[in-house]
Amino acid sequence: MAADARDAVSGFLAGLHPAPPPHTTQNLVLLASELVTNALRHAGGVTVLRLRADRRSLEVAVADPSPAYPQDRTPDLTGRTGGFGWPMVQRLARTVAVRSVPDGGKVVSATLSR
């Protein structure tokens, strides 16, 4: 599923004119991959992947069925339990937002400057 998200972002970005700079493209692909991976690992799956662009920004949003908000935790240096993705999302994105949705799940969105 994370590979599908990366492919979706790459296809979305390929249709933008003007194209974002390479580092912005790489960061949006990474953000989408991390948000999808986190939803799969910690929140019961992905219900929606949404991509938006305007003249100033790019946004990726991932909806999942869990009402629990992402939590900071100590990264596991052995690689077994992770803990690196959420801090990376927070560092890469210009803004990160989490909002509850009426069905009991949530949407996590990350925005980059274009």
Side-chain angles (χ1 to χ4, degrees), residues 23-35 38 56-62 84-98 108-114:
H23 73 277
T24 302
T25 296
Q26 292 166 351
N27 286 346
L28 192 67
V29 170
L30 184 55
L31 285 168
S33 182
E34 286 300 323
L35 292 178
N38 287 350
R56 293 187 197 105
S57 64
L58 300 166
E59 179 188 47
V60 57
V62 175
F84 295 94
W86 184 239
M88 183 176 15
V89 166
Q90 293 173 309
R91 278 191 303 275
L92 286 177
R94 183 182 76 204
T95 62
V96 177
V98 183
V108 180
S109 60
T111 305
L112 292 173
S113 296
R114 189 162 175 182

Side-chain angles (χ1 to χ4, degrees), residues 40 46 59:
L40 293 169
V46 173
E59 179 188 47

